[in-house]
Amino acid sequence: MDRNSDRDSMDPGSFRLGLALEGTGWHPASWLLSSVTDAEEVFSGGYWTNWGRTAASGGIDFVTLEDGLSLQTDRFGTADQARDRVRGRLDPVVTAALLLATTDIGEVVVSRNVTHTNPFHVAAQMASLAAIGPGRVTWRPQVSADARDAAAVGGPATPQLRPEDVYVPTRIARRLRDLFRDAEDYVRTVRELWRTFPAESLGSGDTFLHRDMVAPLLLTGKERYPVAGPLTVPALSTPKVAVLAHHALEPYRLAAAVADRVFVTPSQEYPVSSLLTAFREIERLTPDATETEVYADVAVVLGDTDEHARARLARLDEAAGFAWAPDTHVFVGTADQLARELARWREQFGLRGVRLRPAVLSDDGDRIVRELVRRGTRPRRSAVDQTPRS
């Protein structure tokens, strides 16, 4: 069943918590209500290492880093001139190297664009990160459906989503079918490249390198990715692959075909139960697919009470000038209520974990660590479920 040699060694009955790091938070108005007062701080190494250390010491299992070729906007695919928002990101590979080298965080999930980048470069980048943190690196291939990304890198025009399309699964599937098929080929090519310079090729003593074990690919894939290798760096530890899949055929098929982990995005219309059923059915129908670990992806606004959490969201929406409607469920409530909800998802649906997107990192990220994890309210295995799944 394993797709690579470095499968997660954690107890399969555990429930893993991830913290999604993104600027000052995921709400568009997070900067306005964040405790961060100096904009330069967000683009400093210390800001990210502090959050990596906080997450690690607080019991968070993994953190995620986002990628982007063009500036963030309030409305998907539409540029704006907002001056009270966080715009721009540090390179996620460089940031991941910093976190792996200077913090004890157990895993860093690194997003990397696959629509406008070369698989050889990404394969080398991920192999380099895995050398810094063996067994601690996961790669999230990111499909780009924003025309601004192609313009930013001078690449060919690609199919794109309009702002109103991102909430309609059938439009996602229809418009982006070719992009997701390309992404599947891309991931397979990267995995093949990791095999061109295996860890076993490095010798010891008088033998520095077993040259016969370092070789180019025999099959170079489609013309879209005519890379043969071998890599210029050894793949000392094979990264896992995770896919963020909105509720649509093509993202689910990509995850089923090539991912070790999938992040699904529940909503009021598509609850966890229906997403899981749909994904497992697509997984069953996907050739050569093996069982993929399913995680939920949830945005959170936390407070001391329900009323406090709702008031915080209302204040954020007022500051933004519109109601926050991200691509996944927004949980609004207390940490205790969130823990109960996550425990229910785990017990009823067998989810392996969750990635939490804090609306404001300095507030909600801190509450996730301090109240959800450190106070022992994180979901745990029930007394009737003490046998790890095979």
Side-chain angles (χ1 to χ4, degrees), residues 78-304:
T78 303
D80 59 42
Q81 302 298 319
R83 297 182 180 276
D84 56 356
R85 309 281 199 264
V86 173
R87 295 292 185 257
R89 297 182 177 96
L90 296 181
D91 184 278
V93 172
V94 176
T95 307
L98 187 64
L99 293 180
L100 291 167
T102 63
T103 78
D104 294 326
I105 191 66
E107 180 188 1
V108 180
V109 180
V110 187
S111 301
R112 208 51 166 168
N113 184 283
V114 299
T115 305
H116 300 292
T117 59
N118 186 292
F120 183 92
H121 298 153
V122 171
Q125 290 168 350
M126 294 303 130
S128 298
L129 290 178
I132 299 172
R136 299 166 61 201
V137 177
T138 294
W139 168 42
R140 181 169 81 82
Q142 184 182 70
V143 173
S144 171
D146 190 335
R148 298 177 308 132
D149 289 349
V153 299
T158 60
Q160 59 180 295
L161 292 180
R162 294 190 293 266
E164 61 271 19
D165 293 340
V166 296
Y167 303 106
V168 185
T170 54
R171 291 181 183 173
I172 295 175
R174 183 174 63 252
R175 296 185 188 278
L176 305 186
R177 180 175 293 107
D178 290 343
L179 288 184
F180 279 99
R181 297 299 169 89
D182 281 346
E184 181 180 335
D185 199 38
Y186 190 113
V187 175
R188 295 188 190 280
T189 300
V190 168
R191 279 205 167 108
E192 288 296 322
L193 284 168
W194 284 335
R195 298 187 181 100
T196 64
F197 198 160
E200 295 77 13
S201 63
L202 298 180
S204 60
D206 296 333
T207 304
F208 174 71
L209 180 69
H210 299 291
R211 292 182 178 273
D212 58 320
M213 299 180 69
V214 181
L217 297 177
L218 297 178
L219 300 175
T220 59
K222 301 177 182 178
E223 289 186 7
R224 175 111 166 83
Y225 306 120
V227 292
L231 283 184
T232 52
V233 294
L236 302 180
S237 174
T238 306
K240 295 187 287 293
V241 175
V243 167
L244 174 63
H246 300 113
H247 185 56
L249 172 61
E250 296 303 327
Y252 278 14
R253 188 184 182 284
L254 173 65
V258 298
D260 303 287
R261 180 187 311 167
V262 60
F263 295 106
V264 297
T265 54
S267 65
Q268 186 173 3
E269 184 178 3
Y270 299 107
V272 171
S273 57
S274 65
L275 297 186
L276 190 61
T277 299
F279 177 74
R280 290 304 185 198
E281 180 63 16
I282 292 172
E283 185 179 60
R284 185 182 67 82
L285 297 173
T286 300
D288 301 323
T290 58
E291 187 171 346
T292 305
E293 296 175 349
V294 180
Y295 287 56
D297 203 55
V298 181
V300 296
V301 180
L302 299 177
D304 298 330

Side-chain angles (χ1 to χ4, degrees), residues 9-31:
S9 60
M10 289 188 60
D11 176 358
S14 63
F15 189 92
R16 305 186 68 218
L17 288 180
L19 183 64
L21 300 179
E22 170 70 336
T24 55
W26 286 80
H27 193 287
S30 61
W31 160 250

